[in-house]
């Protein structure tokens, strides 16, 4: 098998062979290995196979005994399930992978896709909003989605009730993209099953989750980062003051995307979040023309990254166990239940990133820290 060399968390060489793609999937599905840890392990060890071999030792150094990577059998089972569902597994640097999404810090290394994958290279606009959307909000979502689709843009949303469903339905003929919180073969909510089925004729359903996974509440915030990450900008049509749509908007800001919002009546709680976004500087949207004026010209296809200048990673330095333990303590002392960006943690500790980042990985493998959407870190406090 060819070896892969890396100069950043995003590896420059895609898994081109089925054997390498298999190793990527097995590493990604291994216990406590999320997208950020996946990228870091590949950076440190040079290939998925090498990272899989090193995982038990890495976990042992973090205090986790008897750690075993995801099994070969379970990986084979997921690939078979994908084939049965007619899904395609694409890597982060596959030409079919969405260019914008590949640029975010915690980009999904792999995506399961069903449908017309070439649409993933077109210019995208995300549209999100209330599940219990008002009649006016639904009509606005339909109007925006239809006009943006007619102008050549692809509408991305989360296949939820309300605004999401209205946006998908209005842009169905020219292609729309639904990002699922569970497996790409699990249609949720059931009332949108026909819409989800129709979507793959000219558009795509996609998910980073394993095949067959039923979505839980914790999966939706991570799903939302994909919606915003794929798009040039995010439009919030209606959103309550505390809603998933505002999480998507925050993700968009963290990812350097523009956030737009449709104003709503001050007495309507379904518009409270949208109005808050406008108060805080989001662009006010009255029609699709306002959106189109902010966007680059739609592209039928977009090329992937140019990694010609990337260099091989330097040999991984040996780590002293006593120093590691001290660093783990320093990191945990700095963290709490409120999310903190890893860059901020590094600045707070006034240490080199190449020392802090592997230690954070240790703590994640040990279950002492969690990574949240946007690359934010929280400390895990066990009950009892």
């Amino acid at each position: 098998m060819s070896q892969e060399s890396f100069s950043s968390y995003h590896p420059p060489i895609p898994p081109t062979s089925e054997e390498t793609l298999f190793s990527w999937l097995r590493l990604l599905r291994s216990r406590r290995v999320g997208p950020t840890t996946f990228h870091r392990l590949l950076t440190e060890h040079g290939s998925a196979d090498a990272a899989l071999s090193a995982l038990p030792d890495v976990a042992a150094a973090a205090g986790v005994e008897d750690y075993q990577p995801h099994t070969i059998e379970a990986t084979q089972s997921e690939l078979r399930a994908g084939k049965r569902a007619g899904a395609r597994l694409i890597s982060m640097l596959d030409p079919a992978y969405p260019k914008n999404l590949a640029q975010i810090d915690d980009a999904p290394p792999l995506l399961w896709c069903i449908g017309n994958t070439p649409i993933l290279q077109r210019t995208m606009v995300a549209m999100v909003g209330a599940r219990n959307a008002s009649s006016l909000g639904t009509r606005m979502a339909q109007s925006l989605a239809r006009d943006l689709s007619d102008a050549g843009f692809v509408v991305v949303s989360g296949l939820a009730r309300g605004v999401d469903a209205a946006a998908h339905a209005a842009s169905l003929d020219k292609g729309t993209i639904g990002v699922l919180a569970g497996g790409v073969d699990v249609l949720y909510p059931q009332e949108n099953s026909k819409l989800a089925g129709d979507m793959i004729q000219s558009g795509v359903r996609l998910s980073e989750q394993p095949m067959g996974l039923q979505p839980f509440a914790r999966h939706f915030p991570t799903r939302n980062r994909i919606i915003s990450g794929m798009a040039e900008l995010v439009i919030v049509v209606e959103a309550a003051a505390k809603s998933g749509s505002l999480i998507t908007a925050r993700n968009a800001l963290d990812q350097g995307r523009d956030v737009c919002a449709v104003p709503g009546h001050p007495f309507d709680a379904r518009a409270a979040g949208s109005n808050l976004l406008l108060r805080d500087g989001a662009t006010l949207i009255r029609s699709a023309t306002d959106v189109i004026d902010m966007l680059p010209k739609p592209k039928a296809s977009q090329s992937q990254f140019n990694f010609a200048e990337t260099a091989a990673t330097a040999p991984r330095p040996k780590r002293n166990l006593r120093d590691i333990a001290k660093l783990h303590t320093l990191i945990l002392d700095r963290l709490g239940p409120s999310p903190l960006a890893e860059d901020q943690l590094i600045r707070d500790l006034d240490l080199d990133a190449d020392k802090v980042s592997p230690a954070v990985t240790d703590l994640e493998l040990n279950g002492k820290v969690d990574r949240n959407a946007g690359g934010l870190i929280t400390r895990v406090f066990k009950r009892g």
Side-chain angles (χ1 to χ4, degrees):
M1 180 184 300
S2 60
Q3 294 297 308
E4 306 141 17
S5 59
F6 305 92
S7 63
S8 70
Y9 290 165
H10 292 179
I13 300 177
T16 53
S17 70
E18 289 186 9
E19 185 180 359
T20 310
L21 193 64
F22 183 94
S23 298
W24 273 46
L25 182 60
R26 187 180 172 208
L27 177 61
L28 183 62
R29 298 295 186 241
S30 292
R31 185 162 53 102
R32 294 174 181 162
V33 176
T36 302
T37 300
F38 176 96
H39 295 311
R40 181 170 294 129
L41 288 169
L42 258 66
T43 299
E44 294 178 353
H45 299 285
S47 73
D49 280 338
L52 284 163
S53 297
L55 256 181
D57 289 339
V58 173
V64 181
E65 300 297 333
D66 300 323
Y67 182 96
Q68 293 297 323
H70 197 63
T71 67
I72 291 174
E73 294 76 15
T75 308
Q76 291 172 333
S77 178
E78 181 173 352
L79 290 171
R80 287 194 298 268
K83 185 176 182 179
R84 286 194 301 270
R88 175 184 173 188
L89 184 64
I90 62 173
S91 76
M92 198 184 101
L93 295 181
D94 188 302
Y97 194 99
K99 179 182 176 182
N100 279 359
L101 185 61
Q103 295 172 339
I104 70 173
D105 290 339
D106 50 354
L110 299 168
L111 291 171
W112 279 112
C113 303
I114 300 179
N116 178 34
T117 54
I119 199 175
L120 297 173
Q121 297 309 302
R122 290 170 53 190
T123 306
M124 304 178 203
V125 177
M127 192 177 302
V128 295
R131 286 175 170 81
N132 62 335
S134 67
S135 176
L136 186 60
T138 300
R139 294 203 306 274
M140 186 64 175
Q142 291 170 337
S143 175
L144 288 171
R146 181 175 53 252
D147 291 346
L148 288 168
S149 183
D150 287 343
F153 299 100
V154 178
V155 175
V156 183
S157 196
L159 249 176
R161 300 181 180 93
V163 166
D164 289 20
H168 286 309
S171 55
L172 200 61
D173 290 345
K174 293 184 172 64
T176 183
I177 298 172
V179 185
L180 281 68
V184 73
D185 55 336
V186 178
L187 303 184
Y188 177 87
Q190 281 295 315
E191 65 195 63
N192 286 345
S193 293
K194 185 180 185 304
L195 175 62
D198 293 343
M199 179 181 296
I200 63 175
Q201 300 306 312
S202 55
V204 169
R205 295 199 314 264
L206 62 83
S207 174
E208 67 176 329
Q209 299 295 350
M211 300 296 298
L213 179 75
Q214 294 291 332
F216 291 94
R218 66 179 183 275
H219 297 130
F220 289 90
T222 56
R223 183 276 307 269
N224 292 347
R225 89 188 192 287
I226 298 177
I227 294 173
S228 57
M230 294 175 70
E232 294 289 334
L233 55 77
V234 173
I235 305 169
V236 180
V237 177
E238 280 185 339
K242 294 182 180 180
S243 66
S245 298
L246 294 194
I247 294 175
T248 308
R250 287 196 293 270
N251 287 337
L253 293 172
D254 291 341
Q255 295 162 350
R257 311 292 192 255
D258 288 322
V259 174
C260 309
V262 175
H265 195 284
F267 289 168
D268 190 344
R270 289 169 294 195
S274 312
N275 290 338
L276 283 172
L277 290 172
L278 291 169
R279 183 199 67 182
D280 294 339
T283 301
L284 188 148
I285 296 300
R286 301 163 298 174
S287 69
T289 302
D290 292 334
V291 182
I292 293 169
D293 288 344
M294 301 174 63
L295 290 167
K297 186 178 179 180
K299 295 182 180 179
S301 64
Q302 296 170 330
S303 61
Q304 284 298 99
F305 291 125
N306 177 8
F307 285 103
E309 299 180 358
T310 58
T313 299
R316 187 184 181 195
K318 293 184 178 180
R319 303 168 68 198
N320 180 281
L321 292 179
R322 182 174 296 178
D323 291 342
I324 292 171
K326 289 181 180 178
L327 183 52
H328 286 176
T329 301
L330 286 174
I331 291 171
L332 291 174
D333 286 344
R334 288 279 183 174
L335 294 176
S338 297
L340 180 70
E342 185 171 336
D343 288 347
Q344 185 60 54
L345 174 65
I346 292 168
R347 288 193 293 270
D348 290 346
L349 293 172
D350 195 22
L351 294 172
D352 293 336
D354 59 3
K355 292 182 179 179
V356 176
S357 294
V360 173
T361 299
D362 293 342
L363 293 168
E364 184 180 13
L365 288 170
N366 200 17
K368 293 183 178 179
V369 302
D370 275 342
R371 290 191 185 274
N372 304 281
L376 300 178
I377 306 168
T378 55
R379 181 173 178 179
V380 176
F381 293 92
K382 294 183 179 179
R383 297 177 181 177

